[in-house]
Amino acid sequence: PQIVVSVYGPDFFGHDVVRGYGAVHVPFVPGRHKRTIAMFVPESTSKLQQFTSWFTGRRPEFTDPKVVAQGEGREVTRVRSQGFVTISFNVM
């Protein structure tokens, strides 16, 4: 099993936009586990699309969270690294 993380936040104009996506496998071993997730955000492919998305406040984002957890189809998606999120698990 995996946990998919989607982080949203306001942009310059106050629109709620995606700040990053990431996924991590849930550990099976009992105990306390800490995992750091590398976050990424999709990017527009052209300068015109980048300007239009900035101007309208509608940035590219994934409609299905399964895209983040699976590797299929992501090799053609342009993404940019966007920081890290740390998660702690307490497995019983």
Side-chain angles (χ1 to χ4, degrees):
Q2 292 186 35
I3 291 183
V4 175
V5 178
S6 301
V7 179
Y8 289 84
D11 66 355
F12 182 74
F13 299 110
H15 300 110
D16 199 24
V17 296
V18 67
R19 295 293 184 180
Y21 295 106
V24 66
H25 289 277
V26 177
F28 286 114
V29 180
R32 185 176 179 93
H33 305 277
K34 189 182 274 190
R35 299 287 187 259
T36 301
I37 305 171
M39 304 297 285
F40 61 90
V41 64
E43 279 196 333
S44 299
T45 55
S46 72
K47 294 291 183 191
L48 178 61
Q49 286 176 334
Q50 288 175 358
F51 176 74
T52 304
S53 67
W54 175 82
F55 186 71
T56 61
R58 306 255 328 150
R59 295 185 182 173
E61 59 183 83
F62 297 125
T63 56
D64 187 8
K66 292 180 183 177
V67 174
V68 178
Q70 298 173 348
E72 297 175 21
R74 270 199 358 211
E75 65 274 357
V76 295
T77 307
R78 183 179 287 185
V79 295
R80 177 175 36 97
S81 179
Q82 193 70 17
F84 299 93
V85 170
T86 302
I87 295 181
S88 294
F89 295 97
N90 290 315
V91 180
M92 294 177 62

